[in-house]
Amino acid sequence: MSDSAQDLPGIVVTGASGRMGQMLIETIAASDKARLVGAVERSGHAWVGQDIGAAMGGADMGIVVTDDALEAFAKAQAVIDFTAPAATVEFAALAAQARAVHVIGTTGMSAEDLAALGRAAHHAVIVRAGNMSLGVNLLTQLTKKVAAALDDDYDIEIIESHHNRKVDAPSGTALMLGEAAAEGRGVSLEAVSDRGRDGITGARKRGDIGFVAVRGGDIIGEHDVLFAGTGERITLRHVASDRSVFARGALKAALWGQGKKPGEYDMLDVLGL
C-alpha cells in the first residue's frame, strides 16, 4: 500500500458476512477516499480467521476476519455497523474507547439501547440513521413539509416493503418517516402511532399515523407515505433497487465524521439538509 493510501481513513466493517457487510467491504475497497482495515464477525463464525476477500469468494484482500472487535477498532478511524441492537450497543462502547467514528445502520433499537448509544456519544462521534440513502433522507424532509402543510383532514399512512428475512417491523426508515410526519404536525409520534389493525378495530382515529409492513421475496426496500384526503391522495415514494445506495451513504457518513466533535448525528447532518 502506498504512503498516500496509508493516510486515508481506516474503516472497520462489523457483521462482515452479512449482505450489507459484504456490500460495505466492496464499496470501501473500491473507494479512493478510505481503506479497509478490519472485518469483524461473531465468535464461532466460519469466516473468523479467513481473509475477507477469500471468504467472499474473491481474491485475498490482506484483511483477516476477526472476532476481537476492540483490537480491530483500535487501528481504525471509523466503524460501520449494520448488525443487531445488542451487538451495536457493545460496539458503541468499544468504538468510543477507540475514539473511532461509529456509523450505525442497525434498526430495531429500544429506548434502552438508544440511551446506551447516547452515553457512548459523549466520547466519540456517532452517526445513526434508519436509512443511509440520499433519496430517503430527502423523502424525510418532504414528508415533514407536506405534513406541516396539510391538517388532520388528510390521513397519513406509511407503507413499507422489505425482503422476507427482515426481522424488525416497522422498518427503521418507516419510523424515521413517521417521526418526520409527526414533527411536521407538531405532535409526538408515540401519541398518534397506529401499528396494529386486526379484527373489529373501529373507525380510523383522526390524526393517527398508520404503519403497514409488507415482507416478501428479495425486496430491498420500498417506502410510501400516503396523505389521503376526501377526493384526493398524495403519495411520496422511494424505491431502493440496489443495496449499494446504503453502503455509499454509510461511507459518506464515516468520512464526514472525521474531526467532528463527539455527539450524536444523523444523515441529515451529513448531507447538510
Side-chain angles (χ1 to χ4, degrees), residues 50-247:
Q50 294 188 52
D51 183 278
I52 184 60
M56 289 170 55
D60 283 2
M61 297 176 68
I63 302 292
V64 175
V65 180
T66 180
D67 58 6
D68 189 336
L70 181 57
E71 182 182 7
F73 293 4
K75 54 191 177 187
Q77 282 71 57
V79 175
I80 303 182
D81 174 17
F82 285 71
T83 55
T88 291
V89 168
E90 183 177 337
F91 291 145
L94 299 178
Q97 190 174 330
R99 299 299 188 266
V101 174
H102 188 188
V103 178
I104 300 172
T106 304
T107 58
M109 311 286 282
S110 69
E112 185 178 350
D113 296 331
L114 296 177
L117 297 185
R119 292 190 291 273
H122 290 305
H123 307 287
V125 172
I126 288 180
V127 182
R128 185 181 69 85
N131 194 300
M132 296 284 174
S133 86
L134 170 61
V136 161
N137 282 278
L138 289 172
L139 176 63
T140 301
Q141 293 295 84
L142 289 170
T143 297
K144 180 179 174 181
K145 289 187 175 182
V146 175
L150 301 177
D151 62 19
D152 287 356
D153 286 340
Y154 288 79
D155 298 322
I156 301 176
E157 293 285 316
I158 297 170
I159 305 102
E160 55 101 342
S161 303
H162 285 87
H163 53 86
N164 55 22
R165 294 173 59 189
K166 185 168 178 61
V167 298
D168 59 308
S171 69
T173 302
L175 292 172
M176 189 166 75
L177 293 168
E179 290 283 3
E183 188 176 345
R185 284 200 165 164
V187 296
S188 161
L189 179 61
E190 186 176 355
V192 299
S193 179
D194 181 1
R195 301 195 193 179
R197 298 187 185 121
D198 185 16
I200 307 301
T201 60
R204 190 187 198 282
K205 184 179 176 184
R206 182 181 172 91
D208 275 0
I209 296 175
F211 291 85
V212 178
V214 176
R215 296 290 177 267
D218 61 356
I219 302 170
I220 291 174
E222 300 179 3
H223 293 86
D224 292 79
V225 184
L226 170 66
F227 296 85
T230 301
E232 66 177 356
R233 297 188 300 275
I234 300 166
T235 301
L236 305 177
R237 182 162 219 238
H238 180 271
V239 176
S241 57
D242 188 334
R243 203 165 265 108
S244 65
V245 298
F246 311 128

